[in-house]
Amino acid sequence: MLLCIDCGNTNTVFSIWDGTEFICTLRTSTEHQRTADQYFVWFSTLVTHHGIEPRITDVIISSTVPRVVFNLRVFSDRYFGTRPLVVGKPDCLLPTDPRVDAGTQVGSDRLVNAAGAFDRHGGDLIVVDFGTATTFDVVAEDGAYVGGVIAPGVNLSLEALHQAAAALPHVDITKPQAVIGTNTVACMQSGIFWGYVGLVRELTGRIKAEYDRPMRVIGTGGLAPLFDQADVLFDRVESDLTMHGLKVIHRYNKENS
């Protein structure tokens, strides 16, 4: 079995692939001080709760938080007896190398999303990922990551409003009933929701115009289905795109090792 680990700035997701499907997906907050032993206690407890007896033989990691990678490596080696593949490291091959400015280090999550999206949809794509940051990744005809856009994430923007303006409360993001809010919470929700709808529409439109060829837009991340309710922003929404990309990269390394 393959254990895919996606470590983001806010959450870390563990998903087990049994060769046919992902049989279990677990999520925890990202904490750089968490030890390998603590990861195992948490992981084994929840897996047992789900009634699964995983026989992990391979591990692949994507992390945007470098400080957690060491303990995840130890977790993999100590408890599963396997050296993990880490996306972005020299020994982890990509199906197609990114084409960006020399010296640019592309986030591993963006490389993984590009690989997963290309495997499912081919090239000429824009992948919009609603994470801690909202990212727009351009995938070329041959599957290469060729650049994109980084904007503040939805929850990050809400938290900034709450912290910087004493009179503004913390609110949950939801689709408002009307654009014109009649109370503070409704005003904030409308500004965030419709503001990000406009952000996605404008940026994808400008990317398409600059790329100058037909492109499909793939939405991913926890908030993608919410924003998809507002308008035709995406050609497809895929909640498991990152995990699928990790599986694709692992398979490519196995076939080319």
Side-chain angles (χ1 to χ4, degrees):
M1 292 182 177
L2 170 66
L3 175 60
C4 299
I5 304 176
D6 174 37
C7 178
N9 290 292
T10 304
N11 293 315
T12 300
V13 181
F14 293 65
S15 197
I16 302 171
W17 173 257
D18 69 354
T20 303
E21 61 182 345
F22 285 106
I23 59 173
C24 182
T25 297
L26 308 171
R27 184 181 299 267
T28 186
S29 58
T30 298
E31 298 176 5
H32 70 268
Q33 70 271 27
R34 184 172 295 177
T35 67
D37 298 335
Q38 288 173 320
Y39 275 119
F40 181 71
V41 170
W42 168 83
F43 178 80
S44 59
T45 299
L46 287 182
V47 166
T48 300
H49 174 75
H50 283 277
I52 298 170
E53 297 182 6
R55 296 178 296 279
I56 304 299
T57 57
D58 297 270
V59 177
I60 183 168
I61 299 169
S62 168
S63 177
T64 58
V65 187
R67 287 185 295 177
V68 306
V69 173
F70 173 78
N71 284 326
L72 288 173
R73 283 183 180 272
V74 175
F75 164 73
S76 174
D77 180 64
R78 178 177 297 168
Y79 291 103
F80 305 121
T82 183
R83 176 184 173 86
L85 274 173
V86 180
V87 178
K89 298 299 183 183
D91 61 341
C92 183
L93 305 175
L94 297 173
T96 309
D97 290 331
R99 292 194 294 273
V100 293
D101 293 343
T104 299
Q105 186 172 357
V106 181
S108 60
D109 55 334
R110 308 181 81 179
L111 297 173
V112 170
N113 282 345
F118 179 74
D119 182 71
R120 283 180 169 169
H121 303 287
D124 296 331
L125 305 173
I126 305 170
V127 180
V128 183
D129 188 354
F130 293 90
T132 304
T134 301
T135 58
F136 298 73
D137 300 323
V138 179
V139 184
E141 183 180 15
D142 63 350
Y145 170 86
V146 294
V149 177
I150 301 175
V154 176
N155 288 318
L156 193 63
S157 295
L158 279 170
E159 191 63 28
L161 272 177
H162 171 60
Q163 291 185 0
L168 296 181
H170 178 81
V171 300
D172 294 326
I173 180 64
T174 186
K175 182 181 178 182
Q177 295 182 343
V179 176
I180 301 173
T182 55
N183 57 69
T184 301
V185 170
C187 289
M188 292 175 67
Q189 289 176 331
S190 181
I192 290 292
F193 184 85
W194 293 113
Y196 271 86
V197 169
L199 174 78
V200 172
R201 185 188 295 116
E202 180 70 13
L203 282 176
T204 53
R206 287 182 175 272
I207 290 170
K208 289 177 180 179
E210 190 171 291
Y211 196 73
D212 197 26
R213 63 189 301 171
M215 304 182 77
R216 285 168 292 173
V217 182
I218 310 300
T220 191
L223 292 175
L226 173 66
F227 285 100
D228 198 44
Q229 297 175 17
D231 203 348
V232 184
L233 296 177
F234 311 113
D235 294 292
R236 189 73 175 266
V237 172
E238 298 191 358
S239 60
D240 66 339
L241 185 64
T242 302
M243 288 300 160
H244 179 69
L246 285 170
K247 176 171 64 73
V248 168
I249 293 174
H250 176 266
R251 182 182 65 207
Y252 181 80
N253 278 264
K254 283 292 187 181
E255 292 173 352
N256 292 274
S257 61

